[in-house]
Amino acid sequence: MSLTASLNSSLAGLRAAQAGIDVVAQNVANATTPGYTRKSAPLESQVNLGVGTGVQRGEIIREVDLRVLRELQTERGNTENLRVISEFLANLDQFFGRPEDEVSVASAVNDLSTALAALADTPEDTAVQRSAVTAADQLAGNLNRLSDAVQSLRQDADDAIRADVDEINQALAEIEDLNLEIAARERTGRSSADLQDRRDVLVGEIAGRMDIQTFTRGGNELVILTASGRTLLDVTARELVFDGRGPMTPDALYNTDASLRGVGTVMLVDDSGSYDLLARGEISSGSIAGYVELRDRLLPEAQDQLDELAHQLALALGAGVVPGTPVTRTTATTLADGTYPFDGLGDKSGNAIQFTIDGVTYSAGDLPIYAASDPGGADAAVEAAIRAALDDNGFEDIEVAVATVGTDHEITFSDPGRHDITGLTFTGSAAIGSPATAATIGPDLSTEATGIDVANIVNPGDSLTVTWRDPATEQPMSITLKAVRPPAEEADQFVLGATAGSTAVTVAQKLAGLLPEGLEVSLSGTVLTFSDADVDANTPNLMAVSITGQAAADTSLPVFADGEGTDQITYTGLDGSGSAKRGFAQRIAVSDGILDDPTALVRFAVDAQGTLSDSGDPTHVLDMLDRLTSRTYQLDGGLGLGSRELTIEDLSVAIVSFQSNQAADQEDRYSFQDGILESVERRFDDQSGVNIDEEMSDLLLLEQSYNASSQILTAVQSMFDALLQAIR
Amino acid sequence: MRISTFAQNTLVKQNILRLQNEMLRAQNQLATGKTADTLGDLGSSASLSLSLRNDLNRIAQSGKTIAIAETRMEVMQSSFERIHENAEGLSLDALTGAFQNDVRLPTLQVTAEAMLQETIGLMNRSLAGRFLFGGSKTDAPPVEDADTILNGDSATGRFGLLQQIADRARADQVNDVASPGGLDVSTDTGLGTLTIADTSKDGFGFTIESVETSSGITVTTTESATAKSVTLSGLAAVPADATLTVVVRLPDGETAEIEVTADGDFGTGLANLANNLSEDLVELAQSQLAAASAIRAASDFFDTVPPKIVTFDAGGAPSLVEDSATSPKAVWWYAGSTGDTPRAEVAAELDEGTTIRYGVRADEAAVRDTLKHLAVLSAVTFEDDEVEMFRALADKSGRGLQSAMDRTETLINEIGAIQEVTLSVEARNQSVKTLVQTQLGTVEDADAYEISTRLLSYETQLQATYQITGRLQNLSLVNVLSF
């Protein structure tokens, strides 16, 4: 043992204490740095050749619970996800305005209906007309504004995804570098604690944006995978690519098929190519997931709801609103209606008339006797007798009239096309003057064909009926197809096309599948031709084809149209390729015709010649009011509002309350999740953060140990001094 | 457990921020009196709030609608009450004049003309620029002015009621002494027959209903589509007590009767009988027929739009035709709408599901008949020798006005019933409005007391937090240790 050894030991003590103070100073300085973890440098006794030679500071290490760190990263991802959704929806909610300001779209619909109610009182007052037009204009403007807001929020979300992807790429590149540095330091036994802190911060940044898994390999090298297990960083960082598209429109939607995709997606690029991470929902947490949810689901849903409202509104207040005179067009193929002359009913008893309907012969027998000098009396008697026979046999719907024409008497049957009147014969004794002649009528037993123009089928509810006689039962059978708007289509319905031609094609196809064997339908332009190739009694015989619908002569202008100015077109809910509904809320506008002349809101054609109604006639206005507030319409089921029937007013309320409820729900979810994140953060910080008191007490110890070592040095020095003094 | 200084500070910071946020919100609520800034803040109550606000708007609009409808109906009622009052007075005058007092007859005409003008004025009343009695045609007065109706429109050359009456009188052969009212009386002394013949069964003039005679005279009626004649035979020697009673139908649908006896100014015999009959027919034509002809002419003029007018062919034969819409000859008195349902032409939606239809038009029977009879009385002038005619006319018009009065009463009652509906909706609106406002208050309004309490507790909390923060700041080893 020597004094030198003591000297060396105390020197080591001084060094160790200094290094310790160094660590404490570092800790205290970073006490409020986010992401900083407390460092410590444990003391180790210094042993040289089995002999203790003092003390040394070990490598600086971090105090981190990796389990809590991972939990923290997961929760941060979940919180970010909810935060962006909640923020965006709150933003959208702002557009609906304060409840008492009544600027929401529901209030706008309500305003329109009150304006129409006022107009019904004084239809001719131009100021009231103008205010109704203004209400309609504001409603359209409200829808446009909301729709624009939805799209601009989608654009913001899209931009944010791009920014997040850039951040992730930068973080990955930095982590790649840090991995190398940390490995190098580990190899040379130097501390990598601060670098690891930095790396954790970067991983945290990535985890806030998308969900990832991490693990460390030898050399403290961090590997990052996506939640689904795709490599993001393993030695080298892979690159994420966001392939943005053009400006955001309601039509721009996500699709797993890249050629149909209207918005950008997040692609993972590696040596083997690129892979769409959104296709199977491989990003389910973090802000990117939130933005994607907003851009591709929540905001398009809001757009769809607005579109549905605009769509229902435009159609309800569209052309053909006026209850025009219903028209019935009938084409009968048999000689059901017709005038059949008979001659000289005579004045003898035993006269009878027989007629055949739907294959069964009935008789109006024992016609009363009338003098030939009283032709009017004879006609009335014959008519009464036939009428009675028709009524007795359940043919109340067939009309019969008998009249004197010249020297003949004519019987006219009119039937609505449901029956097949095939024969009329007279029997009886000879009449004065001329004998009773038998007049027989019936269908011409040759190939029958009849054409009917379906160009007039333009409104939902219009229908087409084909009637034929069933050979087995000899009873008339019929099918009726009803026009509906897309997309609903049931067995007895067909969808209206954008043009009369396309409607006709649909009708023809539908009919071809429904008509019995033996009856055929062909199409030329808008004319459907029905043919009955074989009219014998053993096959179905075509009887009648009829179209029933609303008058097409109505010229009242639709209140709302698609687009503005010279681009304005009539809104039908359809375009060349399908539905024009998507994005209609962005384009809806008051028809130019109405803007130019508000009286068009009141007046309508009262007849086929287009004569306009009086300016004070409230019929049209009341009808529009009814459509707006009382009549219910079937909603498209996929809107989050349920598949149900609502009035337009209720629909607007349902949309606003759906959106505001959704915003409130997301806000709740976010603040709950934020609470979870806070508690995990505190747990992590408490474990790994710096406590100044702790550092101070450490400092006290270090100071004392430093003092003590200096005392020893002083003691050794005085010993050396004493020794040297003794020698001198 | 160890506490990180950073975490502790962050916690305090977050707590303070949260409290400040809550305080701000509470202050806002206190200042605005509303619980929510956006519909989203209302959460699940948003839909209720929207619906209630819609209800309030609807009630407000309903109030305006009711006010407008009530004003209009009030005006309608007062107009009809006035018409009723006028008709009542004039019909009494007319009926009294007809049976008693010739002196009142001339004033009758003057009064009628004044009332005609007043009635037309009432029907042409406009309220806030809207003509009330033209149905859905509200932008022009529905009824022509009295002068045009009576005298025609010289600018367009269309004739009025005076001309219509004159035409009809000509067609009815009112002043034709040869064949009064289109009836010819002839005798055949050889056969001993007397024939009354209506040679043209055209609906003008007299139409023979029946002829009754004292015993011994045979009546034979021959009728075809175009003519009717009654032949009385057995009159070769006219019995001294022979009487005939001829009943004729007048153009206004009423009947008149003449009784003729064989003795008279013309001596006895067949010729005398025939002369007496002719004489009486001429008299009847100039009194009853003339009055009935004027009434019929007015009915044709007023009952339909376009009116029916009398035209004469080259031979002078009259026929009744509808005035041409493209080149009208007569004044058309009514210019309003002509739909089948006058009530439906003015409507108001008072409430969801309650629509009142309260249109009343000047061409409704009540008004039309009043106008018709007032116009006839104004149009027909009379000379001293025409008193009988005017008396008959006053009788007919007096009765006509009375039946028009009944119709006016029905109309007044009908509008009254609609007013009842309006009043009940108004009452309902009031009670619903109170309910809705209360409910809206509970949804949207903030309770000031509750918020003040909340605000106070936030304040206490915040103060406590500040104090703790301050103390914690001092509670550090740094302050205790002296290095």
Side-chain angles (χ1 to χ4, degrees), chain B residues 94-111:
Chain B
L95 291 177
T96 332
F99 296 113
Q100 301 169 354
N101 194 342
D102 289 354
V103 180
R104 300 191 78 160
L105 287 180
T107 59
L108 198 59
Q109 195 176 20
V110 179
T111 323

Side-chain angles (χ1 to χ4, degrees), chain B residues 366-388:
Chain B
V367 185
R368 195 179 64 209
D369 287 356
T370 312
L371 283 174
K372 185 201 299 180
H373 292 296
L374 291 177
V376 169
L377 285 175
S378 317
V380 178
T381 52
F382 68 103
E383 307 291 327
D384 286 349
D385 59 347
E386 291 170 330
V387 172
E388 277 310 308

Side-chain angles (χ1 to χ4, degrees), chain B residues 8-250:
Chain B
Q8 199 179 32
N9 284 339
T10 319
L11 187 63
V12 169
K13 197 172 70 190
Q14 276 168 348
N15 280 339
I16 291 174
L17 274 178
R18 202 169 9 239
L19 278 170
Q20 280 174 339
N21 254 333
E22 290 292 328
M23 270 185 83
L24 189 70
R25 206 171 126 86
Q27 276 164 0
N28 252 340
Q29 289 179 345
L30 205 56
T32 59
K34 301 285 173 195
T35 52
D37 266 352
T38 66
L39 288 164
D41 289 348
L42 285 177
S44 56
S45 315
S47 149
L48 187 58
S49 157
L50 284 168
S51 303
L52 291 175
R53 284 192 171 277
N54 283 355
D55 286 346
L56 274 186
N57 281 340
R58 196 169 294 130
I59 291 171
Q61 176 54 44
S62 170
K64 287 182 207 158
T65 303
I66 288 173
I68 292 176
E70 270 181 349
T71 320
R72 287 181 190 160
M73 284 192 278
E74 281 300 320
V75 173
M76 288 173 180
Q77 289 290 46
S78 68
S79 303
F80 287 123
E81 276 159 15
R82 180 74 191 134
I83 289 174
H84 187 266
E85 201 180 315
N86 278 347
E88 197 166 22
L90 191 71
S91 68
L92 280 179
D93 275 2
L95 291 177
T96 332
F99 296 113
Q100 301 169 354
N101 194 342
D102 289 354
V103 180
R104 300 191 78 160
L105 287 180
T107 59
L108 198 59
Q109 195 176 20
V110 179
T111 323
E113 191 161 353
M115 283 184 185
L116 176 66
Q117 277 171 357
E118 185 183 357
T119 309
I120 290 175
L122 288 171
M123 287 299 105
N124 283 347
R125 208 155 165 178
S126 75
L127 191 68
R130 177 192 177 101
F131 290 92
L132 288 183
F133 299 98
S136 60
K137 195 160 167 24
T138 55
D139 51 0
V143 184
E144 282 288 352
D145 63 87
D147 183 52
T148 311
I149 288 183
L150 294 176
N151 301 315
D153 184 353
S154 55
T156 54
R158 290 163 77 169
F159 65 80
L161 183 61
L162 287 172
Q163 181 67 41
Q164 168 93 346
I165 291 174
D167 285 351
R168 179 77 202 193
R170 181 181 156 201
D172 283 333
Q173 290 167 280
V174 168
N175 294 315
D176 187 345
V177 286
S179 61
L183 292 189
D184 293 326
V185 178
S186 58
T187 53
D188 188 326
T189 18
L191 291 173
T193 57
L194 183 150
T195 304
I196 309 167
D198 183 358
T199 47
S200 59
K201 240 172 60 176
D202 51 8
F204 292 102
F206 292 129
T207 311
I208 305 167
E209 278 289 299
S210 63
V211 177
E212 274 169 28
T213 60
S214 53
S215 58
I217 304 169
T218 317
V219 180
T220 314
T221 306
T222 316
E223 187 168 9
S224 72
T226 54
K228 183 173 183 176
S229 62
V230 178
T231 305
L232 312 177
S233 41
L235 289 170
V238 181
D241 58 349
T243 57
L244 9 151
T245 311
V246 180
V247 180
V248 287
R249 190 161 288 282
L250 303 172

